[in-house]
Amino acid sequence: MVTFLLCLALLVAAYFTYGRYLERLAGADARSETPCRRLYDGVDYVPLPRWRIFLIQLLNIAGTGPIFGAILGACFGPVAFLWITFGGIFMGAMHDYLSGMMLVRNDGLSIPEVVGRYLGGGMRQFMRVFSVLLLVLVGAVFLLSPAQLLANIVPAVSCPAWVWIILAYYFVATLLPIDKIIGKVYPVFGVALVAMALGLLGALLFGGYRIPEMTTFANFQLDASSVPIVPTLFITIACGAISGFHATQSPLMARCVGNERECRSVFYGAMISESVIALIWAAVAMAFFGGAGGLSEALGEHGNSAAWAVDTISNGTLGVVGGILALLGVVAAPITSGDTAFRSARLIIADMLHIDQRSKLKRFYICIPLFAVGYGITLVDFDVVWRYFAWTNQTLATIVLWAVVVYMVRRRSNRWVALLPAVFMTFICASFVFVSGQFFGMENRTAAYLLGGAATLAVLVLMLFKLRRDDAQSLS
């Protein structure tokens, strides 16, 4: 319990300390005109109140990531608490806040366009394809996971039927102006998500559960040799620690923020809130099943289904009524993230092709192929989709971190806040390629880590050359 409470306190304190420090580094100015005022179009560029934007951003970035990922990551043991806490503070929330400020100061453009301004035209083209791929993967993941949960709640309606129902909703929500459904309904869902987390926290604190302490770095996975903590834990728990998906969602709110001083609560605050949700779910998953080992065994007996664990935990800790309410919160999060994933994909394509989004017909033309591909992906095994989504997600976060490094250099501000996380995540993503059976699956772990390190060093050298060139250009 002590480890959990300490991590929880650190996350909350970080918003008022490290978050404020980053705000000073970024030079947030309440007098600066934001995109929603300058580029108002009544569709995507629409000013919204800060409290509403915060709740929408939290829902957009959450999905099932800080829930499913935290449950699966908890199988590694209490070390998951450390990654969620320190990753959330120094990587995820920093990534979300500084990239969010970049977006606000670049007209709220989609992330590939903004990254291209800092990492070059080649990376812009790569990011356009890579980001759309990630967003369609996210849309597919967030079609399947709520459909599975809803099929458990309402067995009379099959999972495929729920997929079609959710897909129809996605299509409508993606086409409509942001203030019609997202701006009105999502804050309610945001409150439900927060209430669900608080309910589980209460059950943890007062329900007699024993939360494991951080006394060992042992790996509690059933087959620990095939999924080493480094780098697998850092890929498994993405949302809740650091997630590239967030940078694809932030343009939606960057187009609605009233002034730059709101960005700390909207971007840094939403990410810290997501880390708190992930921390709670990791703790309750271990406590409910008698420890990380018990959680691993229970998941192994049920096909590693995080959806099954959510259903079991919610009903077991909060009772039937509370369990249903908690499940509805869990269902709302992925549905809202799924439709904004498709919305973000539409904006990326529209920005890339310079297609005016005031026209409903033009929005329709972009959406049709996106939803067709997304539905096709739902026909693939969920575990396969989730695994590739997780690595793609963290790779995108790494690219955005490097863009933030360049942004900070050009501002002549503290580059280290982004540089160290960028190097770390580059190593994690590179070494995962050599370690994981999804890619090369090398049995010689030392060789795999050395190759990951070599790839990281190569990226670092290339970026140092770029940073030196940028420094020279800024002085000339």
Side-chain angles (χ1 to χ4, degrees):
M1 181 73 78
V2 174
T3 303
F4 169 75
L5 291 177
L6 180 59
C7 288
L8 185 62
L10 287 172
L11 283 168
V12 174
Y15 174 78
F16 300 99
T17 54
Y18 196 59
R20 194 175 297 279
Y21 170 70
L22 293 175
E23 187 177 53
R24 289 200 302 270
L25 285 183
D29 184 359
R31 297 167 299 177
S32 179
E33 188 178 33
T34 55
C36 70
R37 311 288 182 187
R38 188 172 62 256
L39 302 171
Y40 176 85
D41 65 359
V43 178
D44 298 306
Y45 290 93
V46 179
L48 294 173
R50 172 163 38 182
W51 68 270
R52 197 180 293 271
I53 298 174
F54 165 79
L55 288 171
I56 296 171
Q57 175 74 0
L58 177 59
L59 273 174
N60 287 353
I61 66 175
T64 49
I67 301 170
F68 282 23
I71 290 172
L72 297 173
C75 293
F76 289 93
V79 66
F81 293 154
L82 301 185
W83 170 231
I84 291 170
T85 303
F86 294 104
I89 293 170
F90 296 107
M91 296 192 188
M94 178 277 298
H95 164 282
D96 285 17
Y97 175 71
L98 291 180
S99 64
M101 289 296 290
M102 283 169 47
L103 293 164
V104 169
R105 289 170 173 172
N106 283 274
D107 296 335
L109 290 173
S110 54
I111 195 65
E113 306 308 309
V114 175
V115 165
R117 293 185 177 183
Y118 297 99
L119 297 183
M123 184 56 72
R124 176 186 291 111
Q125 298 301 334
F126 173 78
M127 282 286 285
R128 284 169 171 172
V129 176
F130 197 76
S131 297
V132 171
L133 171 63
L134 172 65
L135 288 166
V136 174
L137 276 173
V138 168
V141 167
F142 292 161
L143 262 172
L144 282 169
S145 55
Q148 291 170 348
L149 289 167
L150 286 167
N152 289 334
I153 298 173
V154 188
V157 182
S158 68
C159 184
W162 279 115
V163 167
W164 280 106
I165 293 169
I166 296 169
L167 190 64
Y169 164 75
Y170 280 1
F171 191 78
V172 173
T174 302
L175 284 175
L176 289 175
I178 197 164
D179 59 337
K180 299 305 180 186
I181 292 181
I182 294 175
K184 288 185 171 63
V185 179
Y186 283 24
V188 177
F189 290 154
V191 171
L193 182 64
V194 172
M196 171 269 297
L198 291 176
L200 290 173
L201 177 60
L204 275 175
L205 297 179
F206 307 110
Y209 291 98
R210 180 181 176 276
I211 304 173
E213 299 292 351
M214 182 61 228
T215 58
T216 175
F217 285 96
N219 187 342
F220 291 86
Q221 292 277 359
L222 292 179
D223 186 9
S225 61
S226 66
V227 282
I229 289 175
V230 179
T232 318
L233 168 65
F234 305 96
I235 296 294
T236 303
I237 301 180
C239 297
I242 180 172
S243 168
F245 170 64
H246 296 186
T248 67
Q249 297 300 284
S250 292
L252 300 180
M253 295 301 97
R255 300 181 185 206
C256 300
V257 170
N259 73 70
E260 291 184 354
R261 294 300 294 273
E262 297 178 355
C263 291
R264 180 164 65 96
S265 56
V266 171
F267 298 118
Y268 196 90
M271 178 60 213
I272 289 294
S273 299
E274 187 188 64
S275 293
V276 169
I277 292 171
L279 187 72
I280 291 171
W281 273 101
V284 77
M286 282 187 266
F288 186 83
F289 292 102
L295 171 63
S296 295
E297 291 176 4
L299 283 173
E301 293 170 359
H302 293 84
N304 288 319
S305 172
W308 166 83
V310 168
D311 188 19
T312 303
I313 291 169
S314 297
N315 285 290
T317 56
L318 301 176
V320 176
V321 175
I324 291 174
L325 292 176
L327 284 170
L328 289 175
V330 175
V331 167
I335 289 177
T336 53
S337 292
D339 74 55
T340 52
F342 283 115
R343 189 182 190 92
S344 296
R346 169 175 68 79
L347 293 176
I348 288 173
I349 293 172
D351 288 346
M352 178 176 62
L353 301 177
H354 304 290
I355 300 174
D356 186 357
Q357 293 299 280
R358 290 182 178 87
S359 167
K360 290 182 181 178
L361 190 59
K362 290 179 180 178
R363 299 201 296 272
F364 181 83
Y365 287 154
I366 295 175
C367 287
I368 287 295
L370 289 174
F371 283 112
V373 174
Y375 175 74
I377 293 174
T378 66
L379 303 178
V380 179
D381 181 73
F382 180 82
D383 288 340
V384 174
V385 175
W386 181 269
R387 288 198 299 270
Y388 284 102
F389 153 68
W391 179 83
T392 304
N393 186 31
Q394 297 301 64
T395 301
L396 180 61
T398 304
I399 295 171
V400 174
L401 283 173
W402 283 113
V404 172
V405 172
V406 177
Y407 174 71
M408 298 302 282
V409 168
R410 291 184 183 179
R411 281 187 52 81
R412 298 207 160 273
S413 193
N414 181 2
R415 67 192 68 180
W416 295 100
V417 296
L419 180 58
L420 294 178
V423 171
F424 177 80
M425 289 306 299
T426 301
F427 173 74
I428 291 299
C429 292
S431 60
F432 187 79
V433 170
F434 299 107
V435 169
S436 173
Q438 294 172 225
F439 297 97
F440 292 104
M442 296 174 60
E443 294 184 4
N444 187 332
R445 290 292 156 72
T446 301
Y449 291 138
L450 286 173
L451 287 170
T456 303
L457 182 61
V459 171
L460 178 60
V461 169
L462 287 173
M463 288 304 302
L464 288 177
F465 275 118
K466 175 175 176 52
L467 293 174
R468 179 176 294 181
R469 186 172 65 249
D470 282 3
D471 275 334
Q473 289 175 350
S474 66
L475 291 172
S476 62

